[in-house]
Amino acid sequence: MAPDTAFAVTPIGVGAAYGRPGEHQSCYLVTAGTQSICLDFGAGALNALCAIARPEDIDLFVISHLHPDHFIDLLALRVYMVWGPGAGHSIRVAGPPGLREVLAAFGDDGLGTAMQIEVLTGDATATQCGGEIEISHRQVPHLPPTYATRIWFGRRSVCFGADCAPNEALSEFASGVDVLLTECSFGEAEIPTGAAHLNAHAAGDIARRAGARHLLLAHCFPEYDIERSAQIAAEVAGIPVAPARQGQTVQIL
Ligand SMILES: [Zn+2]
Ligand SMILES: [Zn+2]
């Protein structure tokens, strides 16, 4: 594989807590050399992921936080790993405290064998994945704790901002990133009081302060216009901005 094509992110699901027809919930596949990492695993992620990869071959799953649209398909994945094609394999899942207990509440048969669950703690932490990959996590303001994740492959990097309110932590964490992927729940509209989410302007502002080279927008409620949102964020950030599109791989160059 050529070096300039070895690092990429493929949106598997770009939807929010409820989505447009055909949208799956939050899930992004990062491939780096021979390794692959799945960020989040919301509803619909398992079916969509199976179209392009074998879940049991994914080196690491990272769950940003315990809102259902970011992890709920792990319930289906447990069944796949215990009774389906994944039987005999074990996958690594890193997520917030409480993830194991939430999954077990829906059935723990085979859970401990099928999934090696690692707990993310503290404000900043790292997860080892071997090879040339470096993975770090930083808390962002949303359902506590919610973790943004940055993945380095050599000198290039991608940062997934999870769900978050406007904040300084993400722009610091994503400083100089090649591809920043953020939520854009409220699109071109104002952020309602009390909602710990971004709109297009806030996403663009985080990208501008981070000095990101490219911004991808996702997790936009269907009432809002994601194309218009990308235009607004691009005006704020002064960099290329595009909606994340399911199945459309973005090379991290
Ligand atoms: Zn969400
Ligand atoms: Zn959330």
Side-chain angles (χ1 to χ4, degrees):
M1 193 177 288
D4 65 345
T5 59
F7 191 28
V9 57
T10 302
I12 304 294
V14 302
Y18 58 93
R20 296 168 178 79
E23 276 187 348
H24 314 298
Q25 291 178 340
S26 185
C27 184
Y28 303 89
L29 178 65
V30 175
T31 52
T34 59
Q35 294 180 284
S36 51
I37 298 156
C38 222
L39 301 172
D40 277 351
F41 215 63
L46 179 57
N47 286 1
L49 176 64
C50 284
I52 60 172
R54 299 193 330 158
E56 60 270 35
D57 291 340
I58 303 298
D59 294 283
L60 176 69
F61 292 78
V62 179
I63 301 301
S64 63
H65 65 296
L66 294 186
H67 279 153
D69 53 316
H70 297 259
F71 78 90
I72 203 68
D73 247 19
L74 289 180
L75 298 177
L77 184 56
R78 179 188 68 83
V79 178
Y80 174 101
M81 295 297 298
V82 174
W83 301 105
H89 299 266
S90 184
I91 55 173
R92 289 179 67 193
V93 182
L99 176 60
R100 182 197 311 275
E101 290 76 12
V102 168
L103 297 177
F106 289 88
D108 63 358
D109 180 23
L111 179 64
T113 305
M115 295 185 185
Q116 306 300 318
I117 298 177
E118 303 168 21
V119 181
L120 300 174
T121 57
D123 179 49
T125 184
T127 300
Q128 304 304 317
C129 200
E132 298 178 68
I133 298 174
E134 291 182 22
I135 305 172
S136 56
H137 315 276
R138 176 77 59 88
Q139 280 195 36
V140 289
H142 190 63
L143 173 73
T146 292
Y147 286 93
T149 292
R150 185 164 181 175
I151 300 174
W152 290 84
F153 185 59
R155 291 185 293 112
R156 293 169 284 163
S157 65
V158 58
C159 184
F160 172 53
D163 285 358
C164 60
N167 69 92
E168 300 285 336
L170 182 56
S171 52
E172 289 177 12
F173 183 52
S175 178
V177 75
D178 295 286
V179 174
L180 176 62
L181 173 60
T182 73
E183 68 136 296
C184 181
S185 293
F186 293 100
E188 69 278 23
E190 295 294 317
I191 301 170
T193 301
H197 284 288
L198 302 178
N199 61 5
H201 191 281
D205 191 51
I206 288 173
R208 180 188 60 77
R209 286 185 282 115
R213 293 180 57 221
H214 298 88
L215 174 63
L216 294 175
L217 296 179
H219 198 284
C220 179
F221 283 118
E223 295 84 357
Y224 307 109
D225 183 339
I226 188 69
E227 303 291 344
R228 176 69 189 128
S229 297
Q231 292 174 356
I232 293 170
E235 290 164 8
V236 174
I239 60 171
V241 180
R245 301 187 196 281
Q246 290 175 180
Q248 293 193 10
T249 298
V250 174
Q251 304 293 339
I252 304 163
L253 303 172

